[in-house]
mmCIF file with all atom_site columns, all heavy atoms in Angstrom:
data_model
loop_
_atom_site.group_PDB
_atom_site.id
_atom_site.type_symbol
_atom_site.label_atom_id
_atom_site.label_alt_id
_atom_site.label_comp_id
_atom_site.label_asym_id
_atom_site.label_entity_id
_atom_site.label_seq_id
_atom_site.pdbx_PDB_ins_code
_atom_site.Cartn_x
_atom_site.Cartn_y
_atom_site.Cartn_z
_atom_site.occupancy
_atom_site.B_iso_or_equiv
_atom_site.pdbx_formal_charge
_atom_site.auth_seq_id
_atom_site.auth_comp_id
_atom_site.auth_asym_id
_atom_site.auth_atom_id
_atom_site.pdbx_PDB_model_num
ATOM 1   N N   . VAL M 1 29  ? 0.204   -15.089 1.700  1.00 96.00 ? 173 VAL M N   1
ATOM 2   C CA  . VAL M 1 29  ? -0.876  -14.096 1.791  1.00 96.00 ? 173 VAL M CA  1
ATOM 3   C C   . VAL M 1 29  ? -1.847  -14.706 2.936  1.00 96.00 ? 173 VAL M C   1
ATOM 4   O O   . VAL M 1 29  ? -2.209  -15.889 2.904  1.00 96.00 ? 173 VAL M O   1
ATOM 5   C CB  . VAL M 1 29  ? -1.593  -13.973 0.488  1.00 96.00 ? 173 VAL M CB  1
ATOM 6   C CG1 . VAL M 1 29  ? -2.779  -12.977 0.520  1.00 96.00 ? 173 VAL M CG1 1
ATOM 7   C CG2 . VAL M 1 29  ? -0.680  -13.533 -0.589 1.00 96.00 ? 173 VAL M CG2 1
ATOM 8   N N   . ALA M 1 30  ? -2.296  -13.715 3.759  1.00 95.00 ? 174 ALA M N   1
ATOM 9   C CA  . ALA M 1 30  ? -3.222  -14.182 4.738  1.00 95.00 ? 174 ALA M CA  1
ATOM 10  C C   . ALA M 1 30  ? -4.250  -13.095 4.968  1.00 95.00 ? 174 ALA M C   1
ATOM 11  O O   . ALA M 1 30  ? -3.981  -11.879 4.821  1.00 95.00 ? 174 ALA M O   1
ATOM 12  C CB  . ALA M 1 30  ? -2.524  -14.356 6.071  1.00 95.00 ? 174 ALA M CB  1
ATOM 13  N N   . THR M 1 31  ? -5.454  -13.513 5.332  1.00 94.00 ? 175 THR M N   1
ATOM 14  C CA  . THR M 1 31  ? -6.484  -12.491 5.602  1.00 94.00 ? 175 THR M CA  1
ATOM 15  C C   . THR M 1 31  ? -6.428  -12.342 7.157  1.00 94.00 ? 175 THR M C   1
ATOM 16  O O   . THR M 1 31  ? -5.695  -12.919 7.850  1.00 94.00 ? 175 THR M O   1
ATOM 17  C CB  . THR M 1 31  ? -7.896  -12.928 5.222  1.00 94.00 ? 175 THR M CB  1
ATOM 18  O OG1 . THR M 1 31  ? -8.840  -11.874 5.356  1.00 94.00 ? 175 THR M OG1 1
ATOM 19  C CG2 . THR M 1 31  ? -8.315  -14.252 5.757  1.00 94.00 ? 175 THR M CG2 1
ATOM 20  N N   . GLY M 1 32  ? -7.377  -11.579 7.670  1.00 96.00 ? 176 GLY M N   1
ATOM 21  C CA  . GLY M 1 32  ? -7.346  -11.416 9.203  1.00 96.00 ? 176 GLY M CA  1
ATOM 22  C C   . GLY M 1 32  ? -8.661  -11.893 9.717  1.00 96.00 ? 176 GLY M C   1
ATOM 23  O O   . GLY M 1 32  ? -9.474  -12.625 9.108  1.00 96.00 ? 176 GLY M O   1
ATOM 24  N N   . SER M 1 33  ? -8.913  -11.584 11.049 1.00 97.00 ? 177 SER M N   1
ATOM 25  C CA  . SER M 1 33  ? -10.096 -11.989 11.718 1.00 97.00 ? 177 SER M CA  1
ATOM 26  C C   . SER M 1 33  ? -10.399 -11.185 13.005 1.00 97.00 ? 177 SER M C   1
ATOM 27  O O   . SER M 1 33  ? -9.496  -10.423 13.416 1.00 97.00 ? 177 SER M O   1
ATOM 28  C CB  . SER M 1 33  ? -9.828  -13.501 12.177 1.00 97.00 ? 177 SER M CB  1
ATOM 29  O OG  . SER M 1 33  ? -10.939 -13.935 12.822 1.00 97.00 ? 177 SER M OG  1
ATOM 30  N N   . THR M 1 34  ? -11.623 -11.240 13.388 1.00 97.00 ? 178 THR M N   1
ATOM 31  C CA  . THR M 1 34  ? -12.003 -10.535 14.520 1.00 97.00 ? 178 THR M CA  1
ATOM 32  C C   . THR M 1 34  ? -12.222 -11.570 15.754 1.00 97.00 ? 178 THR M C   1
ATOM 33  O O   . THR M 1 34  ? -13.169 -12.393 15.581 1.00 97.00 ? 178 THR M O   1
ATOM 34  C CB  . THR M 1 34  ? -13.279 -9.701  14.303 1.00 97.00 ? 178 THR M CB  1
ATOM 35  O OG1 . THR M 1 34  ? -13.093 -8.813  13.263 1.00 97.00 ? 178 THR M OG1 1
ATOM 36  C CG2 . THR M 1 34  ? -13.672 -8.963  15.585 1.00 97.00 ? 178 THR M CG2 1
ATOM 37  N N   . PRO M 1 35  ? -11.483 -11.519 16.794 1.00 97.00 ? 179 PRO M N   1
ATOM 38  C CA  . PRO M 1 35  ? -11.777 -12.382 18.010 1.00 97.00 ? 179 PRO M CA  1
ATOM 39  C C   . PRO M 1 35  ? -13.236 -11.918 18.533 1.00 97.00 ? 179 PRO M C   1
ATOM 40  O O   . PRO M 1 35  ? -13.745 -10.882 18.321 1.00 97.00 ? 179 PRO M O   1
ATOM 41  C CB  . PRO M 1 35  ? -10.782 -11.910 18.908 1.00 97.00 ? 179 PRO M CB  1
ATOM 42  C CG  . PRO M 1 35  ? -9.638  -11.322 18.263 1.00 97.00 ? 179 PRO M CG  1
ATOM 43  C CD  . PRO M 1 35  ? -10.319 -10.631 17.010 1.00 97.00 ? 179 PRO M CD  1
ATOM 44  N N   . TRP M 1 49  ? -4.084  -4.453  16.350 1.00 98.00 ? 193 TRP M N   1
ATOM 45  C CA  . TRP M 1 49  ? -5.096  -5.105  15.451 1.00 98.00 ? 193 TRP M CA  1
ATOM 46  C C   . TRP M 1 49  ? -5.751  -4.011  14.665 1.00 98.00 ? 193 TRP M C   1
ATOM 47  O O   . TRP M 1 49  ? -6.457  -3.173  15.100 1.00 98.00 ? 193 TRP M O   1
ATOM 48  C CB  . TRP M 1 49  ? -6.105  -5.748  16.383 1.00 98.00 ? 193 TRP M CB  1
ATOM 49  C CG  . TRP M 1 49  ? -7.232  -6.389  15.694 1.00 98.00 ? 193 TRP M CG  1
ATOM 50  C CD1 . TRP M 1 49  ? -7.258  -7.732  14.968 1.00 98.00 ? 193 TRP M CD1 1
ATOM 51  C CD2 . TRP M 1 49  ? -8.598  -5.982  15.579 1.00 98.00 ? 193 TRP M CD2 1
ATOM 52  N NE1 . TRP M 1 49  ? -8.467  -8.010  14.675 1.00 98.00 ? 193 TRP M NE1 1
ATOM 53  C CE2 . TRP M 1 49  ? -9.365  -7.017  14.906 1.00 98.00 ? 193 TRP M CE2 1
ATOM 54  C CE3 . TRP M 1 49  ? -9.252  -4.846  16.004 1.00 98.00 ? 193 TRP M CE3 1
ATOM 55  C CZ2 . TRP M 1 49  ? -10.737 -6.848  14.683 1.00 98.00 ? 193 TRP M CZ2 1
ATOM 56  C CZ3 . TRP M 1 49  ? -10.642 -4.723  15.720 1.00 98.00 ? 193 TRP M CZ3 1
ATOM 57  C CH2 . TRP M 1 49  ? -11.322 -5.733  15.038 1.00 98.00 ? 193 TRP M CH2 1
ATOM 58  N N   . LEU M 1 50  ? -5.442  -4.133  13.327 1.00 97.00 ? 194 LEU M N   1
ATOM 59  C CA  . LEU M 1 50  ? -5.782  -3.038  12.372 1.00 97.00 ? 194 LEU M CA  1
ATOM 60  C C   . LEU M 1 50  ? -7.150  -3.229  11.721 1.00 97.00 ? 194 LEU M C   1
ATOM 61  O O   . LEU M 1 50  ? -7.444  -4.402  11.295 1.00 97.00 ? 194 LEU M O   1
ATOM 62  C CB  . LEU M 1 50  ? -4.657  -2.900  11.319 1.00 97.00 ? 194 LEU M CB  1
ATOM 63  C CG  . LEU M 1 50  ? -4.670  -1.628  10.432 1.00 97.00 ? 194 LEU M CG  1
ATOM 64  C CD1 . LEU M 1 50  ? -4.532  -0.368  11.105 1.00 97.00 ? 194 LEU M CD1 1
ATOM 65  C CD2 . LEU M 1 50  ? -3.746  -1.814  9.267  1.00 97.00 ? 194 LEU M CD2 1
ATOM 66  N N   . LEU M 1 76  ? -5.760  -13.805 19.864 1.00 97.00 ? 220 LEU M N   1
ATOM 67  C CA  . LEU M 1 76  ? -5.127  -14.175 18.645 1.00 97.00 ? 220 LEU M CA  1
ATOM 68  C C   . LEU M 1 76  ? -5.145  -15.726 18.394 1.00 97.00 ? 220 LEU M C   1
ATOM 69  O O   . LEU M 1 76  ? -5.400  -16.159 17.278 1.00 97.00 ? 220 LEU M O   1
ATOM 70  C CB  . LEU M 1 76  ? -3.612  -13.737 18.588 1.00 97.00 ? 220 LEU M CB  1
ATOM 71  C CG  . LEU M 1 76  ? -2.850  -13.855 17.519 1.00 97.00 ? 220 LEU M CG  1
ATOM 72  C CD1 . LEU M 1 76  ? -3.368  -13.003 16.338 1.00 97.00 ? 220 LEU M CD1 1
ATOM 73  C CD2 . LEU M 1 76  ? -1.361  -13.521 17.721 1.00 97.00 ? 220 LEU M CD2 1
ATOM 74  N N   . SER M 1 79  ? -8.859  -17.128 17.374 1.00 97.00 ? 223 SER M N   1
ATOM 75  C CA  . SER M 1 79  ? -9.459  -16.610 16.136 1.00 97.00 ? 223 SER M CA  1
ATOM 76  C C   . SER M 1 79  ? -8.601  -16.960 14.957 1.00 97.00 ? 223 SER M C   1
ATOM 77  O O   . SER M 1 79  ? -7.523  -17.562 15.054 1.00 97.00 ? 223 SER M O   1
ATOM 78  C CB  . SER M 1 79  ? -9.559  -15.029 16.175 1.00 97.00 ? 223 SER M CB  1
ATOM 79  O OG  . SER M 1 79  ? -8.270  -14.434 16.044 1.00 97.00 ? 223 SER M OG  1
ATOM 80  N N   . SER M 1 80  ? -9.067  -16.550 13.742 1.00 96.00 ? 224 SER M N   1
ATOM 81  C CA  . SER M 1 80  ? -8.238  -16.812 12.469 1.00 96.00 ? 224 SER M CA  1
ATOM 82  C C   . SER M 1 80  ? -7.255  -15.732 12.267 1.00 96.00 ? 224 SER M C   1
ATOM 83  O O   . SER M 1 80  ? -6.580  -15.753 11.149 1.00 96.00 ? 224 SER M O   1
ATOM 84  C CB  . SER M 1 80  ? -9.098  -17.020 11.348 1.00 96.00 ? 224 SER M CB  1
ATOM 85  O OG  . SER M 1 80  ? -10.047 -18.034 11.507 1.00 96.00 ? 224 SER M OG  1
ATOM 86  N N   . ALA M 1 81  ? -7.116  -14.752 13.072 1.00 96.00 ? 225 ALA M N   1
ATOM 87  C CA  . ALA M 1 81  ? -6.250  -13.605 12.853 1.00 96.00 ? 225 ALA M CA  1
ATOM 88  C C   . ALA M 1 81  ? -4.732  -14.245 12.943 1.00 96.00 ? 225 ALA M C   1
ATOM 89  O O   . ALA M 1 81  ? -4.524  -15.135 13.638 1.00 96.00 ? 225 ALA M O   1
ATOM 90  C CB  . ALA M 1 81  ? -6.472  -12.581 13.914 1.00 96.00 ? 225 ALA M CB  1
ATOM 91  N N   . LYS M 1 82  ? -3.887  -13.571 12.136 1.00 95.00 ? 226 LYS M N   1
ATOM 92  C CA  . LYS M 1 82  ? -2.496  -14.000 12.249 1.00 95.00 ? 226 LYS M CA  1
ATOM 93  C C   . LYS M 1 82  ? -1.590  -12.847 12.706 1.00 95.00 ? 226 LYS M C   1
ATOM 94  O O   . LYS M 1 82  ? -1.896  -11.717 12.459 1.00 95.00 ? 226 LYS M O   1
ATOM 95  C CB  . LYS M 1 82  ? -2.075  -14.370 10.723 1.00 95.00 ? 226 LYS M CB  1
ATOM 96  C CG  . LYS M 1 82  ? -2.906  -15.545 10.133 1.00 95.00 ? 226 LYS M CG  1
ATOM 97  C CD  . LYS M 1 82  ? -2.523  -16.775 10.614 1.00 95.00 ? 226 LYS M CD  1
ATOM 98  C CE  . LYS M 1 82  ? -3.137  -17.951 9.882  1.00 95.00 ? 226 LYS M CE  1
ATOM 99  N NZ  . LYS M 1 82  ? -4.700  -17.849 9.645  1.00 95.00 ? 226 LYS M NZ  1
ATOM 100 N N   . LEU M 1 83  ? -0.540  -13.232 13.412 1.00 97.00 ? 227 LEU M N   1
ATOM 101 C CA  . LEU M 1 83  ? 0.448   -12.164 13.781 1.00 97.00 ? 227 LEU M CA  1
ATOM 102 C C   . LEU M 1 83  ? 1.359   -12.033 12.529 1.00 97.00 ? 227 LEU M C   1
ATOM 103 O O   . LEU M 1 83  ? 2.127   -12.932 12.268 1.00 97.00 ? 227 LEU M O   1
ATOM 104 C CB  . LEU M 1 83  ? 1.182   -12.617 15.045 1.00 97.00 ? 227 LEU M CB  1
ATOM 105 C CG  . LEU M 1 83  ? 2.074   -11.534 15.579 1.00 97.00 ? 227 LEU M CG  1
ATOM 106 C CD1 . LEU M 1 83  ? 1.269   -10.315 16.073 1.00 97.00 ? 227 LEU M CD1 1
ATOM 107 C CD2 . LEU M 1 83  ? 2.922   -12.095 16.774 1.00 97.00 ? 227 LEU M CD2 1
ATOM 108 N N   . LEU M 1 84  ? 1.320   -10.761 12.046 1.00 98.00 ? 228 LEU M N   1
ATOM 109 C CA  . LEU M 1 84  ? 2.096   -10.592 10.829 1.00 98.00 ? 228 LEU M CA  1
ATOM 110 C C   . LEU M 1 84  ? 3.422   -9.902  11.107 1.00 98.00 ? 228 LEU M C   1
ATOM 111 O O   . LEU M 1 84  ? 3.458   -8.989  11.972 1.00 98.00 ? 228 LEU M O   1
ATOM 112 C CB  . LEU M 1 84  ? 1.199   -9.641  9.816  1.00 98.00 ? 228 LEU M CB  1
ATOM 113 C CG  . LEU M 1 84  ? -0.149  -10.282 9.451  1.00 98.00 ? 228 LEU M CG  1
ATOM 114 C CD1 . LEU M 1 84  ? -1.126  -9.130  8.999  1.00 98.00 ? 228 LEU M CD1 1
ATOM 115 C CD2 . LEU M 1 84  ? -0.006  -11.355 8.460  1.00 98.00 ? 228 LEU M CD2 1
ATOM 116 N N   . LEU M 1 91  ? -3.557  -4.799  2.424  1.00 97.00 ? 235 LEU M N   1
ATOM 117 C CA  . LEU M 1 91  ? -4.538  -4.223  1.414  1.00 97.00 ? 235 LEU M CA  1
ATOM 118 C C   . LEU M 1 91  ? -5.909  -4.402  1.878  1.00 97.00 ? 235 LEU M C   1
ATOM 119 O O   . LEU M 1 91  ? -6.216  -5.593  2.122  1.00 97.00 ? 235 LEU M O   1
ATOM 120 C CB  . LEU M 1 91  ? -4.271  -4.957  0.105  1.00 97.00 ? 235 LEU M CB  1
ATOM 121 C CG  . LEU M 1 91  ? -5.153  -4.573  -1.037 1.00 97.00 ? 235 LEU M CG  1
ATOM 122 C CD1 . LEU M 1 91  ? -5.001  -3.157  -1.562 1.00 97.00 ? 235 LEU M CD1 1
ATOM 123 C CD2 . LEU M 1 91  ? -5.018  -5.503  -2.181 1.00 97.00 ? 235 LEU M CD2 1
ATOM 124 N N   . LYS M 1 93  ? -9.551  -5.097  1.489  1.00 94.00 ? 237 LYS M N   1
ATOM 125 C CA  . LYS M 1 93  ? -10.259 -5.769  0.356  1.00 94.00 ? 237 LYS M CA  1
ATOM 126 C C   . LYS M 1 93  ? -11.810 -5.402  0.354  1.00 94.00 ? 237 LYS M C   1
ATOM 127 O O   . LYS M 1 93  ? -12.591 -5.778  -0.416 1.00 94.00 ? 237 LYS M O   1
ATOM 128 C CB  . LYS M 1 93  ? -10.237 -7.323  0.451  1.00 94.00 ? 237 LYS M CB  1
ATOM 129 C CG  . LYS M 1 93  ? -10.716 -7.878  1.717  1.00 94.00 ? 237 LYS M CG  1
ATOM 130 C CD  . LYS M 1 93  ? -10.522 -9.391  1.747  1.00 94.00 ? 237 LYS M CD  1
ATOM 131 C CE  . LYS M 1 93  ? -11.195 -10.151 2.986  1.00 94.00 ? 237 LYS M CE  1
ATOM 132 N NZ  . LYS M 1 93  ? -11.111 -11.581 2.930  1.00 94.00 ? 237 LYS M NZ  1
ATOM 133 N N   . ARG M 1 94  ? -12.280 -4.672  1.394  1.00 87.00 ? 238 ARG M N   1
ATOM 134 C CA  . ARG M 1 94  ? -13.555 -4.103  1.413  1.00 87.00 ? 238 ARG M CA  1
ATOM 135 C C   . ARG M 1 94  ? -13.718 -2.951  2.381  1.00 87.00 ? 238 ARG M C   1
ATOM 136 O O   . ARG M 1 94  ? -12.871 -2.837  3.244  1.00 87.00 ? 238 ARG M O   1
ATOM 137 C CB  . ARG M 1 94  ? -14.612 -5.153  1.729  1.00 87.00 ? 238 ARG M CB  1
ATOM 138 C CG  . ARG M 1 94  ? -14.414 -5.739  3.183  1.00 87.00 ? 238 ARG M CG  1
ATOM 139 C CD  . ARG M 1 94  ? -15.302 -6.967  3.437  1.00 87.00 ? 238 ARG M CD  1
ATOM 140 N NE  . ARG M 1 94  ? -15.278 -7.450  4.886  1.00 87.00 ? 238 ARG M NE  1
ATOM 141 C CZ  . ARG M 1 94  ? -15.605 -8.585  5.227  1.00 87.00 ? 238 ARG M CZ  1
ATOM 142 N NH1 . ARG M 1 94  ? -16.096 -9.519  4.325  1.00 87.00 ? 238 ARG M NH1 1
ATOM 143 N NH2 . ARG M 1 94  ? -15.586 -8.955  6.381  1.00 87.00 ? 238 ARG M NH2 1
ATOM 144 N N   . MET M 1 107 ? 1.849   -7.256  13.985 1.00 98.00 ? 251 MET M N   1
ATOM 145 C CA  . MET M 1 107 ? 0.433   -6.691  14.020 1.00 98.00 ? 251 MET M CA  1
ATOM 146 C C   . MET M 1 107 ? -0.481  -7.790  13.427 1.00 98.00 ? 251 MET M C   1
ATOM 147 O O   . MET M 1 107 ? -0.091  -8.630  12.597 1.00 98.00 ? 251 MET M O   1
ATOM 148 C CB  . MET M 1 107 ? 0.399   -5.436  13.205 1.00 98.00 ? 251 MET M CB  1
ATOM 149 C CG  . MET M 1 107 ? -0.858  -4.674  13.189 1.00 98.00 ? 251 MET M CG  1
ATOM 150 S SD  . MET M 1 107 ? -0.666  -3.002  12.403 1.00 98.00 ? 251 MET M SD  1
ATOM 151 C CE  . MET M 1 107 ? 0.454   -2.176  13.377 1.00 98.00 ? 251 MET M CE  1
ATOM 152 N N   . ALA M 1 108 ? -1.784  -7.695  13.820 1.00 98.00 ? 252 ALA M N   1
ATOM 153 C CA  . ALA M 1 108 ? -2.894  -8.491  13.311 1.00 98.00 ? 252 ALA M CA  1
ATOM 154 C C   . ALA M 1 108 ? -3.814  -7.571  12.613 1.00 98.00 ? 252 ALA M C   1
ATOM 155 O O   . ALA M 1 108 ? -3.766  -6.325  12.780 1.00 98.00 ? 252 ALA M O   1
ATOM 156 C CB  . ALA M 1 108 ? -3.507  -9.425  14.356 1.00 98.00 ? 252 ALA M CB  1
ATOM 157 N N   . THR M 1 109 ? -4.701  -8.141  11.791 1.00 98.00 ? 253 THR M N   1
ATOM 158 C CA  . THR M 1 109 ? -5.755  -7.280  11.200 1.00 98.00 ? 253 THR M CA  1
ATOM 159 C C   . THR M 1 109 ? -7.168  -7.965  11.319 1.00 98.00 ? 253 THR M C   1
ATOM 160 O O   . THR M 1 109 ? -7.197  -9.202  11.522 1.00 98.00 ? 253 THR M O   1
ATOM 161 C CB  . THR M 1 109 ? -5.466  -7.052  9.678  1.00 98.00 ? 253 THR M CB  1
ATOM 162 O OG1 . THR M 1 109 ? -5.776  -8.313  8.984  1.00 98.00 ? 253 THR M OG1 1
ATOM 163 C CG2 . THR M 1 109 ? -4.081  -6.607  9.445  1.00 98.00 ? 253 THR M CG2 1
ATOM 164 N N   . ASN M 1 110 ? -8.141  -7.251  11.094 1.00 97.00 ? 254 ASN M N   1
ATOM 165 C CA  . ASN M 1 110 ? -9.444  -7.896  10.845 1.00 97.00 ? 254 ASN M CA  1
ATOM 166 C C   . ASN M 1 110 ? -9.620  -8.482  9.529  1.00 97.00 ? 254 ASN M C   1
ATOM 167 O O   . ASN M 1 110 ? -8.683  -8.506  8.727  1.00 97.00 ? 254 ASN M O   1
ATOM 168 C CB  . ASN M 1 110 ? -10.652 -6.964  11.319 1.00 97.00 ? 254 ASN M CB  1
ATOM 169 C CG  . ASN M 1 110 ? -11.008 -6.043  10.146 1.00 97.00 ? 254 ASN M CG  1
ATOM 170 O OD1 . ASN M 1 110 ? -10.224 -5.953  9.152  1.00 97.00 ? 254 ASN M OD1 1
ATOM 171 N ND2 . ASN M 1 110 ? -11.997 -5.202  10.314 1.00 97.00 ? 254 ASN M ND2 1
ATOM 172 N N   . GLN M 1 111 ? -10.789 -9.024  9.224  1.00 95.00 ? 255 GLN M N   1
ATOM 173 C CA  . GLN M 1 111 ? -10.977 -9.767  8.035  1.00 95.00 ? 255 GLN M CA  1
ATOM 174 C C   . GLN M 1 111 ? -11.140 -8.802  6.725  1.00 95.00 ? 255 GLN M C   1
ATOM 175 O O   . GLN M 1 111 ? -11.331 -9.371  5.726  1.00 95.00 ? 255 GLN M O   1
ATOM 176 C CB  . GLN M 1 111 ? -12.269 -10.624 8.182  1.00 95.00 ? 255 GLN M CB  1
ATOM 177 C CG  . GLN M 1 111 ? -13.543 -9.952  8.531  1.00 95.00 ? 255 GLN M CG  1
ATOM 178 C CD  . GLN M 1 111 ? -13.674 -9.730  10.050 1.00 95.00 ? 255 GLN M CD  1
ATOM 179 O OE1 . GLN M 1 111 ? -12.643 -9.781  10.819 1.00 95.00 ? 255 GLN M OE1 1
ATOM 180 N NE2 . GLN M 1 111 ? -14.930 -9.625  10.468 1.00 95.00 ? 255 GLN M NE2 1
ATOM 181 N N   . GLY M 1 112 ? -11.061 -7.572  6.951  1.00 95.00 ? 256 GLY M N   1
ATOM 182 C CA  . GLY M 1 112 ? -11.181 -6.594  5.781  1.00 95.00 ? 256 GLY M CA  1
ATOM 183 C C   . GLY M 1 112 ? -9.787  -6.461  4.988  1.00 95.00 ? 256 GLY M C   1
ATOM 184 O O   . GLY M 1 112 ? -9.831  -5.663  4.178  1.00 95.00 ? 256 GLY M O   1
ATOM 185 N N   . PHE M 1 113 ? -8.907  -7.265  5.382  1.00 96.00 ? 257 PHE M N   1
ATOM 186 C CA  . PHE M 1 113 ? -7.534  -7.130  4.660  1.00 96.00 ? 257 PHE M CA  1
ATOM 187 C C   . PHE M 1 113 ? -7.112  -8.432  4.017  1.00 96.00 ? 257 PHE M C   1
ATOM 188 O O   . PHE M 1 113 ? -7.464  -9.519  4.470  1.00 96.00 ? 257 PHE M O   1
ATOM 189 C CB  . PHE M 1 113 ? -6.516  -6.839  5.656  1.00 96.00 ? 257 PHE M CB  1
ATOM 190 C CG  . PHE M 1 113 ? -6.477  -5.362  6.153  1.00 96.00 ? 257 PHE M CG  1
ATOM 191 C CD1 . PHE M 1 113 ? -7.133  -5.069  7.393  1.00 96.00 ? 257 PHE M CD1 1
ATOM 192 C CD2 . PHE M 1 113 ? -5.898  -4.393  5.518  1.00 96.00 ? 257 PHE M CD2 1
ATOM 193 C CE1 . PHE M 1 113 ? -7.210  -3.774  7.835  1.00 96.00 ? 257 PHE M CE1 1
ATOM 194 C CE2 . PHE M 1 113 ? -5.939  -3.084  5.940  1.00 96.00 ? 257 PHE M CE2 1
ATOM 195 C CZ  . PHE M 1 113 ? -6.656  -2.771  7.132  1.00 96.00 ? 257 PHE M CZ  1
ATOM 196 N N   . MET M 1 114 ? -6.302  -8.256  2.890  1.00 96.00 ? 258 MET M N   1
ATOM 197 C CA  . MET M 1 114 ? -5.469  -9.279  2.454  1.00 96.00 ? 258 MET M CA  1
ATOM 198 C C   . MET M 1 114 ? -3.984  -8.856  2.776  1.00 96.00 ? 258 MET M C   1
ATOM 199 O O   . MET M 1 114 ? -3.697  -7.672  2.390  1.00 96.00 ? 258 MET M O   1
ATOM 200 C CB  . MET M 1 114 ? -5.542  -9.497  0.905  1.00 96.00 ? 258 MET M CB  1
ATOM 201 C CG  . MET M 1 114 ? -6.922  -10.050 0.466  1.00 96.00 ? 258 MET M CG  1
ATOM 202 S SD  . MET M 1 114 ? -7.141  -11.829 1.025  1.00 96.00 ? 258 MET M SD  1
ATOM 203 C CE  . MET M 1 114 ? -6.151  -12.526 -0.204 1.00 96.00 ? 258 MET M CE  1
ATOM 204 N N   . ASN M 1 115 ? -3.159  -9.706  3.392  1.00 97.00 ? 259 ASN M N   1
ATOM 205 C CA  . ASN M 1 115 ? -1.950  -9.309  3.901  1.00 97.00 ? 259 ASN M CA  1
ATOM 206 C C   . ASN M 1 115 ? -0.816  -10.101 3.218  1.00 97.00 ? 259 ASN M C   1
ATOM 207 O O   . ASN M 1 115 ? -0.815  -11.339 3.241  1.00 97.00 ? 259 ASN M O   1
ATOM 208 C CB  . ASN M 1 115 ? -1.877  -9.499  5.341  1.00 97.00 ? 259 ASN M CB  1
ATOM 209 C CG  . ASN M 1 115 ? -3.003  -8.769  6.103  1.00 97.00 ? 259 ASN M CG  1
ATOM 210 O OD1 . ASN M 1 115 ? -3.130  -7.592  6.012  1.00 97.00 ? 259 ASN M OD1 1
ATOM 211 N ND2 . ASN M 1 115 ? -3.748  -9.504  6.899  1.00 97.00 ? 259 ASN M ND2 1
#
Side-chain angles (χ1 to χ4, degrees):
V173 179
T175 187
S177 179
T178 302
W193 178 78
L194 189 68
L220 189 65
S223 72
S224 299
K226 304 285 190 304
L227 188 61
L228 302 161
L235 171 70
K237 60 178 186 175
R238 64 188 187 198
M251 187 174 291
T253 73
N254 77 353
Q255 55 274 23
F257 285 95
M258 292 291 284
N259 303 305

